[in-house]
């Protein structure tokens, strides 16, 4: 029940973030809402990675998020990094915070709309 409620709340936050990103990118009203209207693809993965040690690293390998938005709930353990200008930058962990990662879909839309000055979006 707790995870189901967390999913509902995170989905609600996702819609709010979608609206904020839509406005910040200067997209036509409801563009992302209409683009991402099929909410059946929304999912939650409950993963917990322990800090790396001298003997092993049980984290996840470098990757890109192929979706619109990813929420990463933080604790005091570091390890999360973001790729910017070909450089991996550590995200300073702050327990109780949520990192909002803009995925590939939003990045591609932003680049396309920037190139076409929103004329074909």
């Amino acid at each position: 029940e707790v995870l189901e409620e967390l999913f509902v709340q995170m989905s609600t936050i996702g819609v709010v973030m979608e609206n904020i990103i839509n406005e910040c990118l200067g997209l036509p009203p409801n563009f992302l809402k209409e683009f991402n209207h099929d909410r059946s693809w929304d999912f939650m993965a409950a993963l917990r990675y322990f800090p790396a040690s001298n003997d092993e690293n049980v984290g996840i390998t470098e990757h890109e998020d192929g979706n619109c938005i990813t929420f990463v709930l933080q604790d005091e353990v570091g390890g999360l990094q973001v790729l910017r200008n070909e450089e991996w930058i550590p995200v300073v962990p702050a327990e109780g915070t949520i990192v909002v990662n803009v995925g590939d879909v939003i990045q591609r839309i932003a680049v396309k709309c920037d190139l076409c000055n929103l004329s074909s979006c």
Side-chain angles (χ1 to χ4, degrees), residues 25-36:
L25 290 177
L27 297 171
N30 295 318
F31 178 85
L32 290 176
K33 180 180 181 180
E34 293 168 12
F35 177 84
N36 197 33

Side-chain angles (χ1 to χ4, degrees), residues 1-14 44:
E1 290 179 14
V2 171
L3 287 178
E4 288 176 356
E5 180 61 22
L6 179 61
F7 180 78
V8 168
Q9 295 301 320
M10 297 303 282
S11 295
T12 301
I13 294 170
M44 181 173 70

Side-chain angles (χ1 to χ4, degrees), residues 39-76:
R39 304 315 301 201
S40 67
W41 288 94
D42 290 355
F43 70 95
M44 181 173 70
L47 305 172
R48 184 168 198 281
Y49 297 103
F50 295 95
S53 68
N54 290 333
D55 299 325
E56 67 179 339
N57 182 356
V58 294
I60 193 167
T61 61
E62 68 181 53
H63 67 280
E64 295 181 9
D65 290 350
N67 55 355
C68 291
I69 302 169
T70 300
F71 295 124
V72 182
L73 284 68
Q74 294 287 282
D75 57 16
E76 73 282 352

Side-chain angles (χ1 to χ4, degrees), residues 87-109:
E87 180 182 353
W88 286 101
I89 301 169
V91 174
V92 177
E95 187 171 3
T97 61
I98 301 173
V99 172
V100 179
N101 183 33
V102 177
D104 289 348
V105 172
I106 300 294
Q107 292 182 50
R108 299 301 187 276
I109 289 171

Side-chain angles (χ1 to χ4, degrees), residues 15 17-36 106 109-110 112-114 116-121:
V15 171
M17 291 303 304
E18 186 178 81
N19 291 332
I20 292 169
I21 291 169
N22 195 95
E23 184 175 333
C24 288
L25 290 177
L27 297 171
N30 295 318
F31 178 85
L32 290 176
K33 180 180 181 180
E34 293 168 12
F35 177 84
N36 197 33
I106 300 294
I109 289 171
K112 179 183 183 302
C113 290
D114 187 46
C116 69
N117 295 319
L118 301 176
S119 61
S120 63
C121 287

